[in-house]
Amino acid sequence: MSDAPDTPESSTAPGPSDASRAPAGTGQDGFLKVLGRGDVLALAFGAMIGFGWIVLTGDFIDAAGSVGAAIAFVIGGVVIALVGLTYAELVAAMPRAGGEHHYALRALGARGAFTASWAMVLGYVSVVAFEAVAVPQTLGYLLPGAMDAGHLWTVADYDVSAAQVAVGVLAAVVMTGLNYIGIRPAGVFQTIAVLFLLAAGAVMIAGTAVGGSAATMEPLFTGGVAGMFTVLVAVPFLFVGFDVIPQSASEIRLPFRQVGRLLVVSVACAAAWYVMIMLTAGAALGPEELTAAELASPDAMAALWNSPAMGNLLVVGGLAGLLTSWNAFLIGGSRLLYAMAESRMVPAWFGHLHPRFRTPGNALLFIGALSVLAPLFGRPMLVWLVDAGGVNIVVAYIVVAVSFLVLRRREPGMERPFRTPAGPAVGVAALVLSFGLLALYLPGMPAALVWPWEWVIVGAWWIAGLAMMARLPKVAPGADAEERLIAEIDRRTRRG
């Protein structure tokens, strides 16, 4: 199928004077179109592969067995792929920075778009802030005691040290600066880090031929259905990140149909990674040893090669996973704030594109500033923030699934370069599964939010959001919804 025509220009598309000084490859909306197939895959895959696989592997295998845990990840990958298929069709049809914001605006109107965008912003910002704490903590595994130097204060029984703060702040400045100077260097960094991560994984696979044993994998299944459900509960949180592809759609130089396909492929790649970790770790150490290990996957790597250095190599791979997740969510969060500013939902300051680097510089600086402050608060408080952000990401998934179904019904003739097979059935399944994910955060469920702190964060975020939403004019959905919304807000501003 041929490429779809470009979407209409946004209100900040570079004019004649801007176009003359914009770098080559600048799209109609002012972003540089430089991300190729490998960049897109690295962006989404790196976002989904954080650090959880380093520490949680033992718990998963203990709950379900090595093969049971692997099968649970296959099932979880299928579940997430169904949600991803709704995104895939929409990103191919509306390839603009901001992703969910534009889908919901066209399908549900201004307030539906604000709901999706506001929810996702907290999800992205919370992950970025958490990584600034997770990086020094990970270095502490490689350099025991080094990150404890210079005790500052204690937050929620967690000791914050000067070394942790210094490393976290430095990492935040570097990651923000890297993104500020352009999507190209951020994309190159993402690709290099993902390649290192994959190389570490290849070494672990090779290790099974050296020190692995099929007998060590026994029992292959434990805990029955309940054991597999224990693993499935964690799957949605380990797969969060495929949605950064829609956020960066304006910077992708591929046929729109391929963008949709790559989103689904990225989910499959993440599922394959987690399956590989379950099987190789299970072949290295028994369930009791894995459960007792502080870092299960690196200990398994060390056992396979009979070398502590190999275990440290996998910790460095985990650090690469942290940085790729950080990088991807920084890209996603800044583009989403930019899209909201373009629609006049947040201050216009967030919608500024750097004239040289063609990045949403102010949005990046804002998120970067939050990540610079994050190490001061310690790990427990940031875990509360990430959990609160996680439930908001699921809210955005629900809005996207609804938008997908609405547009299928109301605009059957809309050009869809990538068309999801059995669309309505997939959309309904994605919607039901997303509500199922949301239920996991409710009291009494395995991933229930912590009372009162995590509920306070969610409540405060949405009290602020509802106050902002109440000021938005009621704009009906449609292909021109953004133009009508901007015109009405500008009219009110002139009158005011």
Side-chain angles (χ1 to χ4, degrees), residues 11 15 32 40 101 103 125 132 182 198 229 251 280 285-286 348 351 419 423 465 478:
S11 60
L32 283 176
V40 174
H101 176 80
Y103 316 153
V125 170
L198 292 175
F229 184 76
E251 294 153 291
T280 53
L285 296 173
R419 192 174 184 89

Side-chain angles (χ1 to χ4, degrees), residues 197-292:
L197 179 64
L198 292 175
V203 173
M204 192 167 186
I205 293 173
T208 59
V210 176
S213 168
T216 309
M217 298 178 71
E218 298 286 349
L220 302 181
F221 298 92
T222 58
V225 175
M228 294 186 69
F229 184 76
T230 300
V231 181
L232 283 170
V233 165
V235 163
F237 318 115
L238 295 174
F239 278 83
V240 167
F242 68 85
D243 39 277
V244 299
I245 289 180
Q247 307 304 340
S248 57
S250 290
E251 294 153 291
I252 298 174
R253 53 173 176 81
L254 292 171
F256 301 153
R257 180 185 179 92
Q258 285 190 29
V259 177
R261 286 176 172 173
L262 286 173
L263 190 150
V264 179
V265 169
S266 70
V267 173
C269 290
W273 174 268
Y274 288 123
V275 168
M276 180 274 291
I277 293 295
M278 296 304 109
L279 296 179
T280 53
L285 296 173
E288 293 86 2
E289 295 170 294
L290 288 170
T291 304

